[in-house]
Amino acid sequence: MPSQRWYQAFPDLTLFTTVKAYMVQAHNRAAVCWLDSLSLSDSELLKAAGILAKESAPVVVLSATPSESQAFSVLSTGVKGYCHAESVPEQFVEVAQAVASGGYWVPPELVQ
């Protein structure tokens, strides 16, 4: 279930429940693809992240329990951003701006 914070950051948010549904609906794709890792196993997350990173807009993985190892794993698939799923709406907007303009976004503690 999407967080209220997601809708505060992106009022016109379109949700897809599968990678296939996202890929089929090209006309509904946003400038950034947000991948919620909550309902995926680690292997499913890496597979989905890799497919989306190769075929779509820049991908940001949202994690309910962010970790350094998960961040580096998903970034190695081509993902452009990684953040906590319950970040404040302003941070979601900042992340979207960074990756949509060709950059990367990870929590500051991972950069160190």
Side-chain angles (χ1 to χ4, degrees):
M1 189 65 170
S3 165
Q4 192 61 24
R5 294 174 183 213
W6 299 359
Y7 285 112
Q8 289 172 350
F10 308 105
D12 59 345
L13 181 69
T14 300
L15 297 175
F16 298 95
T17 57
T18 66
V19 171
K20 183 177 179 180
Y22 178 82
M23 300 302 285
V24 169
Q25 302 249 354
H27 61 282
N28 282 336
R29 292 186 194 168
V32 174
C33 175
W34 300 85
L35 179 58
D36 184 7
S37 67
L38 183 62
S39 62
L40 302 171
S41 69
D42 288 343
S43 62
E44 291 170 326
L45 175 61
L46 292 176
K47 182 178 178 183
I51 291 169
L52 290 169
K54 289 178 186 161
E55 301 292 333
S56 69
V59 177
V60 175
V61 170
L62 300 169
S63 178
T65 55
S67 71
E68 185 176 298
S69 63
Q70 185 182 52
F72 290 121
S73 292
V74 297
L75 290 168
S76 72
T77 68
V79 165
K80 301 293 183 188
Y82 180 79
C83 68
H84 198 291
E86 289 299 321
S87 295
V88 295
E90 295 81 11
Q91 186 171 39
F92 288 135
V93 172
E94 180 182 314
V95 172
Q97 290 170 340
V99 299
S101 65
Y104 288 84
W105 199 96
V106 294
E109 59 272 12
L110 293 181
V111 175
Q112 299 174 5

